[in-house]
Amino acid sequence: MKIVIQSNFAPALGKLQKIRQQLPFAVASALTTTAQGARAAVSAELASRFDRPKPYTTKQAVQVRKATKAKLVAEVGVGVEYDAPSKGTPYQKVLGHHFAGGARPFTKFEGALKRAGLIDGGMVAVPGAAAQLDAFGNLSPGTIVKLMSILRLFSEQGYSANETAAGRAKREKIRQRSRKGGGADYLVKSANGKRIKRNYVEIGGKAYFVSRGRREAFGGGSWRGGRLQNLPAGIWEKTGIHGSDVKPIVMFVKAGSYAKRFDMPATVRKVVAADWPANFSAAFRRAMETAR
């Protein structure tokens, strides 16, 4: 007598094969979903910690590179999908010091001031009390363009590339106020490195000038009669009778070193630990339900 014991593995093998085919899709989907959750957490942290942050900071800079079946890796971080907006400054350059600490990079405006010799490498430009600010607390684009025009710093391509012929003609008609007795309000460096004396500019009854700081002088003196400057370093506006009303538009201050403000890896790890099991279970279930 012979007893035959058999097992039909075909259904199990078929199911295993289906799992093998669908598993990469499930893993890629779960990785991407988890990375998107981490991005949302990082963006929310940025929005809560920054004062009036721009969408550039909270929505555009933190990105996700999706996982694929061929590459089962998802990435979340600053500029991981595309490193800069169209014709804009790279995200990492603008925000990197908040995640790693260190000095803030120069803005284009500060770079133009530096090339003209109005600030050195250890100084930055910050809004003065009389500056016109945008909705995010920064110098308004109109203020920057006006100051660039007054100081004749339009070699900075980022500000002049879209300038119209009419706008250029209007800008080039700005004339410095001539003064009896000579003297100069500030010096700038030309493209070839030559030092050029300039006086302040009058526009619409307002005069604009640069101070290099208290007790500073250009040569024998920066003001008429050889007097030393007595205002803090910056760009100033003066109005009123005999220019008695003086207001700071931009101040030149020592650049600070930023402490690390955000621990992005810690935030991402927390999201992964909390969300990965549920995300993978849901993705695996969808993959098996849609398997052919």
Side-chain angles (χ1 to χ4, degrees):
M1 183 175 68
K2 181 172 69 174
I3 299 174
V4 178
I5 301 175
Q6 294 180 328
S7 177
N8 184 4
F9 283 102
L13 291 174
K15 189 170 184 179
L16 289 174
Q17 181 63 22
K18 187 180 294 185
I19 292 174
R20 181 180 179 184
Q21 292 175 346
Q22 296 300 101
L23 188 59
F25 293 104
V27 173
S29 176
L31 287 171
T32 298
T33 300
T34 304
Q36 290 169 338
R39 174 189 179 275
V42 172
S43 295
E45 185 176 4
L46 294 177
S48 67
R49 299 280 295 278
F50 282 124
D51 177 23
R52 291 170 289 173
K54 293 183 177 181
Y56 172 101
T57 301
T58 58
K59 296 182 180 180
Q60 300 173 14
V62 183
Q63 304 161 11
V64 167
R65 178 173 291 171
K66 297 180 179 180
T68 66
K69 176 185 175 182
K71 186 177 181 180
L72 296 176
V73 175
E75 298 178 41
V76 58
V78 175
V80 297
E81 182 66 17
Y82 53 94
D83 64 355
S86 177
K87 299 182 180 179
T89 305
Y91 299 114
Q92 185 62 37
K93 182 177 180 180
V94 175
L95 296 174
H97 57 285
H98 292 293
F99 295 99
R104 170 178 69 78
F106 278 110
T107 64
K108 291 181 179 180
F109 179 44
E110 290 166 340
L113 292 169
K114 183 180 179 182
R115 282 190 295 276
L118 296 177
I119 62 174
D120 60 31
M123 306 289 283
V124 294
V126 299
Q132 182 180 353
L133 306 179
D134 62 17
F136 307 103
N138 304 311
L139 285 172
S140 70
T143 297
I144 292 176
V145 170
K146 181 172 73 173
L147 295 177
M148 293 280 290
S149 180
I150 290 170
L151 300 178
R152 299 185 183 183
L153 303 178
F154 269 93
S155 61
E156 181 63 52
Q157 186 176 4
Y159 289 102
S160 59
N162 297 323
E163 189 177 24
T164 64
R168 186 177 300 107
K170 181 178 179 181
R171 171 171 60 80
E172 291 176 350
K173 287 181 180 178
I174 292 177
R175 293 290 180 264
Q176 300 175 71
R177 193 187 81 147
S178 61
R179 298 188 303 177
K180 295 180 180 179
D185 292 327
Y186 62 95
L187 297 178
V188 298
K189 289 190 296 186
S190 64
N192 60 10
K194 184 179 179 180
R195 303 287 286 183
I196 302 173
K197 292 182 178 181
R198 287 187 178 160
N199 297 329
Y200 55 70
V201 174
E202 291 183 342
I203 302 177
K206 299 178 180 179
Y208 297 88
F209 64 93
V210 174
S211 171
R212 293 295 298 272
R214 293 185 175 94
R215 308 299 297 172
E216 290 291 333
F218 301 124
S222 55
W223 305 117
R224 184 177 176 181
R227 291 176 297 169
L228 297 175
Q229 294 177 332
N230 61 3
L231 291 171
I235 304 171
W236 295 76
E237 173 189 282
K238 58 190 296 186
T239 57
I241 300 175
H242 304 301
S244 58
D245 188 7
V246 181
K247 300 176 182 178
I249 305 300
V250 172
M251 304 305 297
F252 303 153
V253 300
K254 290 184 179 180
S257 181
Y258 285 74
K260 181 178 177 180
R261 297 184 64 185
F262 302 99
D263 190 346
M264 187 185 298
T267 300
V268 173
R269 285 194 297 267
K270 185 182 298 184
V271 172
V272 171
D275 295 355
W276 169 255
N279 288 342
F280 176 73
S281 296
F284 182 75
R285 184 172 60 255
R286 288 194 303 271
M288 296 306 295
E289 291 172 351
T290 57
R292 297 179 179 178

